[in-house]
Each structure stands twice: as C-alpha cells, then as structure tokens.
Amino acid sequence: MSHRDSLFSAPIDKLGDWTFDERVAEVFPDMIQRSVPGYSNIISMIGMLAGRYVTENSRVYDLGCSLGAATLSVRRNITAGGCEILAVDNSPAMVERCRRHIDAFRAQTPVQVIEADIQNIEITNASLVVLNFTLQFIPPEDREALLAKIWQGLRPGGALVLSEKFSFADQAMGELLFDMHLDFKRANGYSELEISQKRSMLENVMLTDSVSTHQQRLQAVGFKHAELWFQCFNFGSLVAIK
Ligand SMILES: Nc1ncnc2c1ncn2[C@@H]1O[C@H](C[S@+](CC[C@H]([NH3+])C(=O)[O-])CC(=O)[O-])[C@@H](O)[C@H]1O
Ligand SMILES: O=C(O)C(=O)Cc1ccccc1
C-alpha cells in the first residue's frame, strides 16, 4: 500500500525547508518506520494507554495526526462508550489520505479528521491528548502556550502522550545517541546522501528539546505527574497526567 521513501536519494540543487507535502505524505508510513526508532512500539502502546485513560463520553485529540496511525490504535482500544476522536493536521495532503485511511476500517468510536493548525483549535472534555512527534515542529516559543491549552482542555485525571526526538545537555551522550540513530537509518537502507539532505531540510523546522526541558514545561503548565515511559536512542515518549 505505501511506497518506499526515495525522495532524497538523488542530489537536490536547492534544499528548501522541510514540508509535509504530497510527496512526503505518499511515502510517510515507510519514511517514519525507517526513520524513527521505536515508532511502531509507541503506536501500539498509545493504544494501551487509550484503554486505560479514555473515559465515557469524552474526547481524544490526535494532534498532528499525519495518516492517523495513532488514531487507529486508540480507536481499536477504546472500551468506553460515547467517545469521539478528533484527528487534526494542517497538511492538506496528510488530511486527505488520513480520511481515506480511517474510512477503510469500521469501528464504534467516530473520528473527525480536521484540517487545522493545532495552535488554533479548541480543546474541551478530553480524556486523552496525543502529540506523537508533533510538538517538535511547533516554534519553541509557542510550545508552552499549546501545552497550557491542552492542560485546560483535559478532564482531571486525563493524560497527554508526548513523543519527541530529544536533544541532550551532555554532549558525549548526545553524540552517542545521535550516532546510534544514524546507524539505525543506515541499517534501514538510507544512504549518507539521503540522511544528510533530509537533516539539512529539517534543520530550521524541527527544533528539539531535552527530556528535562519537556518535563519542566509540563510541570509549568500544571501537570501533576510526568514521566518518560519509552526511549530508544534520541527518540522517546512522555506521559503526563492532569
Ligand atoms: N501547527 C501544526 N498544526 C497541525 N499539524 C501540524 C502542525 N505542525 C506540524 N503538523 C503536522 O504534524 C505531523 C508530524 S508527523 C506526526 C506523526 C503522527 N502523529 C503519527 O503518529 O504517525 C512526525 C514526523 O514526521 O516526524 C505532520 O503530519 C505535520 O503536517
Ligand atoms: O528522520 C529523521 O532524522 C527524524 O528526525 C524523524 C523524522 C521522520 C519523518 C519526518 C520528519 C522527521
């Protein structure tokens, strides 16, 4: 169903900034699987968290949903009744494919796929919010305001899953984990040229924080509990409870 990512295999003249356009959307499942260590584990474990945290008559928000992988995992695992999933992305190419992808499966819980900037939507009555590798694309100065809005929109006891690529304060550890990620990409068939062209396109667009920056920000907006529950190299996921 999904095509192999060879978008950056030939030399590109002028490398612009990264965008989630048609071409990226077309190969996205292959790209993310080969680029993000732990991705499929995180997707299936978001489903397990949904089984625990999604309560009757509440909403789930999948912010930066891409093709809806997290939404589908959540939907498969919801046992509570009267729930609704809102899957939001600002890339028209992703939203169009996400709708088709989700309509291909039947299930109880309805899903609304919304084309919007997650910074502009309203969040209410949420028992679970998923930011699966999306906050890293929001300008750093806007991240706290977005998390504050999520906190406001969560029910007491509700959960936020925040998965990100991390930076590290310790330079030696940062280099080791970064290099292990490079090895992971090489092992998945990416060439040095593909790796370096993609890195340069992401440079201005995807700005990473350390785990402790994420923890401090979550605490600052009001989350009582926040912990890293998964990590593979410089990628991982936190869960925060209101
Ligand atoms: N301001 C924004 N508003 C809405 N969407 C945005 C914004 N900025 C970026 N996006 C969207 O966030 C997604 C990030 S990918 C998420 C993977 C998915 N969660 C998954 O579980 O497969 C992660 C990655 O590619 O590393 C893209 O689809 C963007 O269009
Ligand atoms: O490929 C990388 O180096 C990444 O950091 C992850 C990624 C995966 C898919 C789109 C953009 C970034």
Side-chain angles (χ1 to χ4, degrees):
M1 185 200 87
S2 162
H3 306 281
R4 188 169 170 89
D5 166 25
S6 58
L7 295 180
F8 313 110
S9 55
I12 298 169
D13 245 5
K14 279 204 188 95
L15 286 175
D17 276 346
W18 180 266
T19 57
F20 290 95
D21 58 13
E22 288 285 338
R23 285 155 42 92
V24 169
E26 189 73 30
V27 299
F28 192 71
D30 178 70
M31 170 185 283
I32 197 145
Q33 183 67 36
R34 287 163 65 213
S35 304
V36 174
Y39 175 76
S40 23
N41 290 311
I42 292 172
I43 290 292
S44 53
M45 289 164 196
I46 286 173
M48 294 181 188
L49 285 167
R52 278 180 187 268
Y53 280 96
V54 179
T55 47
E56 301 279 321
N57 304 314
S58 70
R59 289 175 154 180
V60 176
Y61 289 83
D62 180 6
L63 305 179
C65 59
S66 297
L67 303 183
T71 286
L72 287 173
S73 178
V74 165
R75 194 171 63 166
R76 275 196 299 274
N77 286 278
I78 290 179
T79 53
C83 297
E84 178 185 26
I85 304 174
L86 293 96
V88 185
D89 205 291
N90 66 351
S91 154
M94 289 292 192
V95 165
E96 194 224 310
R97 285 172 175 78
C98 185
R99 288 197 175 117
R100 273 195 265 143
H101 194 183
I102 283 168
D103 288 345
F105 304 88
R106 286 188 66 76
Q108 283 294 311
T109 307
V111 177
Q112 271 189 63
V113 184
I114 300 163
E115 185 184 320
D117 187 322
I118 58 174
Q119 294 177 269
N120 298 331
I121 62 158
E122 228 190 284
I123 298 180
T124 55
N125 190 31
S127 57
L128 177 67
V129 176
V130 177
L131 273 171
N132 203 37
F133 301 106
T134 303
L135 193 67
Q136 58 200 13
F137 294 103
I138 301 298
E141 65 274 18
D142 299 336
R143 291 176 188 175
E144 186 165 326
L146 174 60
L147 292 180
K149 176 172 77 176
I150 291 170
W151 187 86
Q152 285 287 339
L154 275 168
R155 291 183 175 185
L160 166 67
V161 178
L162 172 61
S163 311
E164 291 273 291
K165 184 178 192 174
F166 300 128
S167 58
F168 294 86
D170 183 313
Q171 198 186 329
M173 274 304 144
E175 273 170 27
L176 172 65
L177 299 173
F178 180 90
D179 288 344
M180 293 186 84
H181 175 233
L182 285 186
D183 287 342
F184 172 86
K185 289 184 112 175
R186 291 178 185 122
N188 286 329
Y190 283 121
S191 68
E192 301 306 312
L193 181 66
E194 287 178 288
I195 292 171
S196 79
Q197 293 194 128
K198 188 181 182 196
R199 184 185 45 79
S200 132
M201 295 178 77
L202 283 168
E203 214 160 49
N204 302 317
V205 180
M206 189 177 114
L207 302 166
T208 55
D209 292 317
S210 64
V211 174
S212 66
T213 297
H214 285 298
Q215 267 164 340
Q216 281 161 29
R217 201 185 274 129
L218 289 166
Q219 208 171 49
V221 304
F223 284 97
K224 288 200 200 110
H225 314 275
E227 189 58 79
L228 187 69
W229 65 271
F230 182 90
Q231 185 175 346
C232 186
F233 311 138
N234 48 345
F235 289 78
S237 189
L238 294 105
V239 61
I241 310 298
K242 180 167 179 177

